Amino acid sequence: MRSNPRLTLLSDEDRSELTGVLTRVEAAQEALAAAEAEQTRALAEAGAFAARLAEGSSVVVRDRDMALRGVAAEIAAAVRLSDRSVQRQIDSAFALVNDYPATVHCLEKGLITRAHVAVVEDVGRRLPIELKGEFDQLAAEICLDETPGRARADLEIIAERMHPRSLTERHGEAFRQRKIVRYSIGEGMSELRSVHSTVLIEGIFQRVTDQANEVIAAREPGSGDTRSLDEVRADLFTDMLLTSTPAIDPTGDQPGGLGAITAKVQVVIPVMALMGQSDVPCDLAGVGPIDAKTARLLAGNSHGTWERLLTHPITGLTMAVDTYQRTKPMDRFLKGRDKHCRWPGCRMPARKCEVDHNHDAALGGKTEICNLCCLCQRHHSMKQFTAWKVRQLPGGVMEWTSPTGRIHIDNPPGHGVHFTPEEDLPDDLWAKWTNPGLEFRITDEPADNPHEPAPF
């Protein structure tokens, strides 16, 4: 497919027009952020005013609530909102201004958006009050360089590592609450909801999605099957639960059929956690934190569903990659390094991405790690058919140039979050992959026996 020269080579007139539009959008975004910060501060002051009205009362809780209701009603009538809604906004603003001052300051200066603030609030909610100040400083710094989606992933890991109770401990308690519940939603339909371990739910969802895509791809022309991806997923999910395996396999005589399709889930494991010397949270790529105990179990699992990424405990950079399914080593390394699409701000997991030659192979680009990265289908197409350009800098850093000439840097995941270990790490700590059975070992000295089992 040929690209349209009008899209890949903007004229000076087109570039000037786009630059003007971009400048207006940026100015509007900055003004909007400043206005939202001002409104947040005003609502927080309304909360403080209500609290002062109740000072000295013998029934402070009741009087403060009544004072807050009265202030909320005053504001609600003026801005044509319900008083309950305004009261919730006052409570949220009061907590935001007092617990996350650095984040509010960044919003006020137009450096971040309200969506970033919502992420900081949501993730920080799980931390005790005495840790929110430190979290606020880290969160504001991360939000300056990342989209809300990418910032959430980093902040969730930070929050889990800051929490006074380990994720392993809290997960053990939460795991006792797993269940399945059903809800009637009318029109002869019901909803089935499962509460279970994140890694298992992610595995289930990825497997049924892969199978649904296979069903859709196997449709015969004129078959009359017009089901959407959601509909096919729901049908397969029900079929597997009621029959254990799909009763009807539309993939015909293809080897394995639907039953052979399994989920591919990528687990990021800091080396000290894998060695059992730390319970720091691990990362289910594209989803969020999981406890170290579960990650260690997955690391020792011999099934082909899970892919393990071993990361440096300080920098977070990928040290080594392993998969029980035999794939090309280069692709394995790229998925381990990139973890997600390398377009600025995109969080599409690397397992769902295509591998792109940064310098087009048709134009002489080499098939080397330093010229390859993971891009999702949407952004791979944009790189090919629009005026966006990319080149890879040392260390896997991607330098994107927009049609207006602006430079956007995308660092490999792991560069943004650094931690100090509780104990000094040996200088010669290393990870080694052994060929027999693709078994993984970690030692601080090379082992004489290449068949020595892993320490987990």
Side-chain angles (χ1 to χ4, degrees), residues 298-350:
L298 293 177
N301 184 9
S302 62
H303 195 273
T305 298
W306 309 99
E307 182 173 75
R308 308 173 301 185
L309 308 180
L310 185 70
T311 63
H312 192 281
I314 309 302
T315 65
L317 295 178
T318 300
M319 295 170 60
V321 184
D322 175 41
T323 177
Y324 290 107
Q325 295 179 345
R326 294 181 180 272
T327 59
K328 295 180 180 180
M330 188 174 291
D331 287 345
R332 287 161 48 191
F333 178 86
L334 288 170
K335 290 178 181 178
R337 182 196 69 184
D338 294 346
K339 299 182 186 175
H340 51 61
C341 171
R342 294 301 303 282
W343 186 278
C346 184
R347 282 272 296 161
M348 182 66 70

Side-chain angles (χ1 to χ4, degrees), residues 6-7 16 51 71 84 87 105 117 130 141 160 166 179 182 220 224 230 247 258 264 301 310 331 333 413 451 454:
R6 181 77 187 277
L7 300 179
S16 176
V71 172
R84 289 185 177 87
Q87 185 170 339
H105 174 76
V117 176
E130 62 270 16
E141 182 178 350
E160 292 299 348
S166 72
K179 60 184 176 181
R182 69 182 188 276
E220 294 291 338
D230 280 337
L258 292 182
K264 184 60 176 287
N301 184 9
L310 185 70
D331 287 345
F333 178 86
H451 301 285

Side-chain angles (χ1 to χ4, degrees), residues 81-322:
L81 292 173
S82 75
D83 60 299
R84 289 185 177 87
S85 175
V86 171
Q87 185 170 339
R88 286 193 296 269
Q89 291 180 27
I90 291 174
D91 287 337
S92 176
F94 188 83
L96 183 60
V97 167
N98 288 280
D99 295 342
Y100 307 104
T103 300
V104 174
H105 174 76
C106 290
L107 178 67
E108 190 172 40
K109 297 301 181 182
L111 301 175
I112 62 176
T113 68
R114 191 63 180 83
H116 287 94
V117 176
V119 168
V120 174
E121 283 185 289
D122 185 48
V123 177
R125 193 171 289 119
R126 70 194 66 173
L127 290 172
I129 188 66
E130 62 270 16
L131 295 177
K132 290 189 177 182
E134 180 184 355
F135 176 77
D136 174 43
Q137 294 291 331
L138 294 171
E141 182 178 350
I142 288 174
C143 287
L144 290 175
D145 299 320
E146 296 287 5
T147 61
R150 282 195 180 180
R152 177 182 289 276
D154 286 344
L155 296 183
E156 285 182 339
I157 292 292
I158 289 176
E160 292 299 348
R161 292 181 176 180
M162 289 179 64
H163 202 286
R165 297 179 64 209
S166 72
L167 180 56
T168 299
E169 180 184 355
R170 287 178 287 127
H171 175 72
E173 295 177 359
F175 192 69
R176 298 295 301 271
Q177 305 302 316
R178 62 194 186 279
K179 60 184 176 181
I180 291 179
V181 293
R182 69 182 188 276
Y183 302 95
S184 175
I185 56 177
E187 308 298 337
M189 302 291 287
S190 292
E191 177 181 339
L192 183 67
R193 184 178 302 174
S194 174
V195 178
H196 217 296
S197 173
T198 297
V199 292
L200 297 181
I201 294 297
E202 180 67 10
I204 291 170
F205 185 78
Q206 290 299 327
R207 184 184 185 196
V208 76
T209 297
D210 289 344
Q211 292 182 338
N213 284 322
E214 192 74 9
V215 169
I216 292 173
R219 288 173 179 166
E220 294 291 338
S223 65
D225 187 354
T226 60
R227 291 177 297 169
S228 67
L229 177 62
D230 280 337
E231 289 178 288
V232 177
R233 269 195 296 233
D235 292 344
L236 285 169
F237 179 75
T238 304
D239 195 19
M240 284 189 285
L241 285 178
L242 293 176
T243 67
S244 295
T245 57
I248 301 176
D249 187 342
T251 59
D253 296 328
Q254 298 179 23
L258 292 182
I261 298 175
T262 59
K264 184 60 176 287
V265 179
Q266 198 176 65
V267 183
V268 184
I269 311 175
V271 61
M272 302 306 288
L274 186 56
M275 295 174 69
Q277 297 183 18
S278 171
D279 273 340
V280 296
C282 303
D283 184 19
L284 188 61
V287 180
I290 61 172
D291 62 289
K293 181 179 179 181
T294 298
R296 282 192 290 269
L297 290 175
L298 293 177
N301 184 9
S302 62
H303 195 273
T305 298
W306 309 99
E307 182 173 75
R308 308 173 301 185
L309 308 180
L310 185 70
T311 63
H312 192 281
I314 309 302
T315 65
L317 295 178
T318 300
M319 295 170 60
V321 184
D322 175 41

